[in-house]
Amino acid sequence: MPRKIIHVDMDAFFAAIEQRDRPSLRGRPVVVGGDPEQRGVVAAASYEARDYGIRSAMPTAEARRRCAQLAIIPADHEKYRRVSAQVMALLREYTPLVEPLSVDEAFLDVTGSVRLFGSARRIGEQIRQRIWETLQLTASVGIARNKFVAKLASLQAKPDGLLEIRADRVLEFLVPLPVEALWGVGETTASRLRQLGFTTIGQLQRCPLERLAAEFGKHGRDLYSLARGLDESPVQPGRERKSLSHEQTFAEDTDDGEFLEATLLALSEQVGRRLRAHELKGRTITLKVRYADFRTITRSKTLPRPTDSDKQIYESARALLAAAGRGGRKVRLLGVGVSHFDVGEQLRLLPEDSSDGSAVDRAIDEVRERFGPGSVRRARLVDEGTAEEDR
Ligand SMILES: [Mg+2]
């Protein structure tokens, strides 16, 4: 039986929540993001702001240049997470097969739900209506036989719309889209595809499998299938959180090694604290470095055992930074992430190895819980308050 997949994507999520909660912002260009004086970036832009060409990840200073009357609201991630939980709970009323992709979007496999709730389109319409009635927010919905096409459909439906792509319309729906719309096609693959004369998915549809396999190896087969709208990947409800990260943009570009290491420690502590709060341990530590010229690199290291220890995260991140060969270049942004979670690892019955500092971490978490985040700082972090978090 063909599957019925729904992709739900909240419209301008953070900005829409702020407009909902502050009526004076409604109908106005609004971004949620960091202080322009501190080189903050846009986390979300309202549709009114998008009319000025303002986009996510743009520096807020640039956004304000484009629109003088822009309202810049600091992010309240706690609130967004609460609203996100409300959205996900509502979606789970239609099927247990809900796979959140981020705070504001999710896939649903409703193949088994249609007998109870009506067609996938009926379910999509109900979801949109109930999100509006209960949360006063709009969502866009894409419906197809697989995740890949459903996600492209919701994007096309935005804002505040619903689009169903039936099986016999998939090929023509994909024809005009750029090759970048294909999963797994980043900048490198896209530029190679363009060199070969493929700018749109329609052009790629005419390329034989043998040629794609010769050019791209195993990845060529994926390109061939996706260009035809074929995707068998299942909706995976367990994959709620795939990685956890923090990053900081500096008020000024810096090549001060001590300062960079202190920032890595602060970021590692933030990531470690959230890992422990979510009872997660991860095996892969990722460092992100954006240089003054905006070139960005990421470097990862996989540990033999999963960790939630600030010290282990920090030491891995520091080693990655040293190995990255910065060569005196100035740095604009640093990020630290942990991924590759091992949930089973939590249940191990072996005594905790205290040499990784985890007992200390937990004690610090408890004090911070009671007295606020600034109450305990390790000696190195004192006087390092100039860097601003922008996520
Ligand atoms: Mg969204």
Side-chain angles (χ1 to χ4, degrees):
M1 179 155 101
R3 293 185 299 157
K4 305 239 178 246
I5 307 295
I6 294 181
H7 181 250
V8 178
D9 193 352
M10 302 298 290
D11 299 323
F13 189 52
F14 300 168
I17 292 173
E18 296 302 342
Q19 287 180 312
R20 175 192 76 176
D21 294 349
R22 308 183 201 200
S24 66
L25 296 178
R26 290 180 198 162
R28 289 183 50 197
V30 174
V31 297
V32 170
D35 184 347
E37 310 305 324
Q38 298 290 318
R39 307 211 304 181
V41 298
V42 173
S46 73
Y47 284 91
E48 296 86 354
R50 293 179 197 196
D51 288 343
Y52 292 84
I54 294 167
R55 296 285 180 269
S56 294
M58 178 182 280
T60 39
E62 165 71 17
R64 198 169 54 184
R65 266 195 297 280
R66 291 180 185 226
C67 173
Q69 70 272 35
L70 182 70
I72 301 173
I73 310 295
D76 180 351
H77 288 290
E78 267 316 306
K79 177 162 78 172
Y80 309 147
R81 270 194 283 274
R82 274 201 310 277
V83 180
S84 173
Q86 292 174 309
V87 172
M88 299 301 167
L90 190 151
L91 299 182
R92 287 192 187 95
E93 290 181 31
Y94 293 89
T95 171
L97 297 176
V98 174
E99 177 185 346
L101 287 183
S102 69
V103 284
D104 78 325
E105 57 178 309
F107 287 115
L108 287 73
D109 185 333
V110 297
T111 315
S113 312
V114 292
R115 281 175 60 180
L116 199 55
F117 295 103
S119 67
R121 175 181 279 270
R122 267 294 288 139
I123 295 173
E125 282 165 354
Q126 282 181 41
I127 286 171
R128 282 179 20 79
Q129 188 179 347
R130 289 191 53 212
I131 288 176
W132 174 251
E133 284 170 3
T134 59
L135 300 170
Q136 288 79 53
L137 294 169
T138 65
S140 295
V141 162
I143 303 169
R145 286 198 180 172
N146 61 51
K147 288 160 69 169
F148 169 63
V149 179
K151 188 164 159 68
L152 288 174
S154 73
L155 188 64
Q156 201 99 306
K158 279 185 168 298
D160 196 15
L162 178 148
L163 180 62
E164 177 173 14
I165 307 295
R166 294 186 177 276
D168 58 346
R169 307 296 299 274
V170 167
L171 282 178
E172 62 179 297
F173 169 69
L174 294 173
V175 161
L177 300 180
V179 289
E180 285 88 345
L182 298 169
W183 283 353
V185 173
E187 249 172 69
T188 317
T189 310
S191 75
R192 275 188 68 198
L193 282 168
R194 279 194 299 269
Q195 279 167 16
L196 296 168
F198 306 120
T199 309
T200 66
I201 297 180
Q203 292 167 333
L204 200 57
Q205 284 172 356
R206 296 197 290 273
C207 181
L209 173 60
E210 295 69 33
R211 176 148 184 235
L212 284 174
E215 294 285 349
F216 295 96
K218 188 187 163 295
H219 189 37
R221 180 170 292 277
D222 297 334
L223 293 172
Y224 183 85
S225 301
L226 288 175
R228 283 158 183 73
L230 301 173
D231 161 38
E232 297 293 321
S233 61
V235 172
Q236 292 182 294
R239 285 173 49 192
E240 206 151 322
R241 195 181 276 284
K242 290 179 212 148
S243 69
L244 219 154
S245 63
H246 276 274
E247 57 187 49
Q248 291 185 339
T249 302
F250 302 123
E252 274 174 40
D253 300 333
T254 178
D255 57 3
D256 178 344
E258 285 250 338
F259 175 73
L260 292 174
E261 287 194 1
T263 304
L264 282 187
L265 178 56
L267 291 168
S268 301
E269 288 186 344
Q270 287 167 0
V271 170
R273 182 167 177 244
R274 277 177 61 208
L275 284 173
R276 295 187 292 279
H278 289 97
E279 297 187 6
L280 289 168
K281 291 187 180 194
R283 214 179 275 268
T284 301
I285 315 298
T286 301
L287 169 78
K288 176 171 162 185
V289 182
R290 178 165 298 145
Y291 293 108
D293 62 3
F294 274 85
R295 279 207 326 117
T296 305
I297 60 157
T298 58
R299 296 286 183 271
S300 294
K301 174 182 174 165
T302 296
L303 303 171
R305 295 177 63 186
T307 187
D308 63 0
S309 146
D310 297 352
K311 182 161 169 271
Q312 276 191 358
I313 298 166
Y314 168 60
E315 281 170 0
S316 304
R318 192 175 57 168
L320 289 167
L321 181 65
R326 194 163 49 81
R329 273 180 293 172
K330 289 198 169 184
V331 173
R332 176 184 176 87
L333 170 151
L334 276 184
V336 174
V338 174
S339 58
H340 199 161
F341 296 139
D342 189 338
V343 183
E345 186 68 18
Q346 287 158 236
L347 303 174
R348 74 183 194 275
L349 297 170
L350 296 166
E352 201 70 60
D353 173 7
S354 60
S355 66
D356 67 358
S358 54
V360 180
D361 296 336
R362 260 190 290 281
I364 291 176
D365 288 345
E366 274 173 32
V367 175
R368 283 183 179 143
E369 253 0 296
R370 285 163 60 191
F371 304 108
S375 52
V376 178
R377 310 202 94 192
R378 279 165 218 229
R380 277 209 71 164
L381 292 182
V382 175
D383 296 324
E384 299 292 356
T386 47
E388 150 134 330
E389 198 194 332
D390 66 358
R391 293 176 50 113

